[in-house]
Amino acid sequence: MFPFKLVYDERYDLNLGAHVFPSQKFRLIHDRLLADKLAEADDFLAPKPAMDEDILRVHSQDYVYKLKSGSLSQAEILRMEVPYSKKLVQACWLAAGGSILAGERAIEDGWAANVGGGFHHACPDHGEGFCVINDVAVAIRRLQFDRKIERAMVVDTDVHQGNGTAEIFGGDGDVFTLSLHQENNYPFPKAHSTIDVDLPDRMGDADYLAILEKHLHKAFDEFSPQILFYVAGADPYREDQLGGLSLTIEGLSRRDAVVFDYARRHGVPVVITLAGGYARNIEDTVSIHVNTMLAARDAALLGAKSKPKSK
Ligand SMILES: [Zn+2]
């Protein structure tokens, strides 16, 4: 049995076919966890779609209306870079509900994962870069609204900057955003996170891990979060089609362990979301994401300083 809940719904898969965004990865991760007997069916929780009022705490009324009514312009759809459909909208509301549920479970159990989400390019009034609804921001706003937390930290290690998240929380002293990303990569221009770390092309494991440690240290020095949302992109991988960093699968797993160790030692509940991953071989993307779950499992079993379950 897994030591925390994995939030998943088969409708996360958008069936995009040959699209560079492999939305089948959500299902493949779920299936791998079961097939390798790493998790059992009971470890998974099905989310409910987020309510519109949850979405509207982050996104503009105009944008939400256009999404729901199918009245986005062609330019707005092109900017999303995923084909518009009612199923897409359903999947995005569901992913946001998944991050809310994972946030609630993390507060109770110390740890939780959304086997989806991490759509960090989604901005208040538009979608871009395969991201339609910023599920992490929606979850943080909902947890704040329910008075379950006041302060949250987002640690984003996707190879692309979390510009949507940065824009949403810019100037908000209660949400600390740390983004480590390749400087010479989408998006251009970049937004301003609380801490942005622009990495040079082809950076490898050792340099990356040292920089990650240094900035996590700084972040936890400056800010005391009550929950940490980890945007665990698989695309800093050296075989990624859209990334230009050179981390190995092993290095990415150590990256995860470093983040989880910081959270654990500070007693901060952790929510994992997946974000990007475009390896030439999709099985590598699946392995990287599964490894993230296993690194969290190992950290959780260490006996977490993360908030113990109240019984
Ligand atoms: Zn990415």
Side-chain angles (χ1 to χ4, degrees):
M1 198 177 111
F2 222 73
F4 56 83
K5 290 300 177 189
L6 304 160
V7 177
Y8 171 76
D9 191 294
E10 61 187 16
R11 288 170 295 171
Y12 284 178
D13 187 347
L14 298 169
N15 299 300
L16 296 178
H19 197 282
V20 68
F21 182 82
S23 75
Q24 70 273 34
K25 77 176 182 180
F26 309 120
R27 175 174 47 80
L28 295 175
I29 295 162
H30 166 267
D31 292 354
R32 172 92 68 89
L33 285 164
L34 288 177
D36 290 356
K37 304 208 182 309
L38 299 167
E40 299 168 4
D42 286 352
D43 296 322
F44 291 89
L45 284 181
K48 290 197 189 81
M51 294 184 294
D52 288 355
E53 63 189 85
D54 295 324
I55 305 289
L56 287 165
R57 285 189 198 100
V58 169
H59 294 284
S60 72
Q61 205 138 25
D62 183 51
Y63 177 49
V64 170
Y65 173 78
K66 286 179 185 171
L67 281 171
K68 294 192 72 160
S69 61
S71 54
L72 291 166
S73 70
Q74 204 51 39
E76 287 170 317
I77 292 171
L78 282 174
R79 196 172 185 186
M80 291 195 319
E81 297 187 75
V82 277
Y84 176 86
S85 66
K86 290 276 178 200
K87 275 202 156 163
L88 171 73
V89 174
Q90 181 189 52
C92 296
W93 257 247
L94 206 50
S99 288
I100 292 171
L101 178 58
E104 290 168 346
R105 291 304 303 220
I107 288 167
E108 281 181 39
D109 303 340
W111 302 81
N114 188 3
V115 187
F119 296 116
H120 60 163
H121 299 309
C123 290
D125 63 354
H126 71 271
E128 62 174 76
F130 317 139
C131 300
V132 177
I133 293 295
N134 197 310
D135 55 287
V136 166
V138 168
I140 289 172
R141 289 299 188 224
R142 169 65 184 272
L143 295 173
Q144 288 176 322
F145 179 80
D146 288 344
R147 298 186 184 281
K148 292 186 171 163
I149 59 156
E150 290 173 1
R151 296 179 310 283
M153 182 184 283
V154 181
V155 174
D156 187 334
T157 61
D158 189 277
V159 81
H160 306 100
Q161 193 212 24
N163 59 324
T165 315
E167 191 180 319
I168 290 161
F169 294 119
D172 182 339
D174 286 331
V175 183
F176 191 105
T177 54
L178 167 61
S179 178
L180 272 83
H181 48 262
Q182 185 191 3
E183 181 175 17
N184 183 28
N185 204 329
Y186 176 92
F188 302 107
K190 303 206 176 359
H192 296 287
S193 313
T194 315
I195 298 180
D196 281 302
V197 187
D198 294 324
L199 303 172
D201 297 353
R202 312 280 23 139
M203 178 175 267
D205 292 346
D207 290 341
Y208 182 96
L209 291 167
I211 287 176
L212 174 63
E213 284 251 19
K214 180 176 140 194
H215 287 93
L216 279 170
H217 191 85
K218 190 160 180 263
F220 275 94
D221 242 20
E222 289 177 13
F223 192 77
S224 168
Q226 293 159 307
I227 195 163
L228 187 153
F229 278 79
Y230 182 37
V231 180
D235 48 13
Y237 178 44
R238 62 183 179 186
E239 295 290 327
D240 196 88
Q241 300 174 86
L242 301 185
L245 297 182
S246 293
L247 275 74
T248 63
I249 289 182
E250 165 66 18
L252 286 159
S253 181
R254 283 166 57 203
R255 168 199 70 168
D256 300 333
V258 167
V259 173
F260 298 147
D261 190 50
Y262 262 87
R264 193 182 63 81
R265 285 191 283 117
H266 288 82
V268 179
V270 175
V271 184
I272 296 158
T273 63
L274 299 187
Y278 317 93
R280 271 170 256 287
N281 177 356
I282 191 171
E283 291 303 322
D284 286 349
T285 297
V286 172
S287 295
I288 293 164
H289 287 310
V290 167
N291 286 345
T292 301
M293 305 303 167
L294 299 181
R297 177 195 65 183
D298 293 348
L301 291 174
L302 267 180
K305 284 236 175 160
S306 288
K307 196 171 170 181
K309 191 162 185 170
S310 45
K311 270 191 183 162

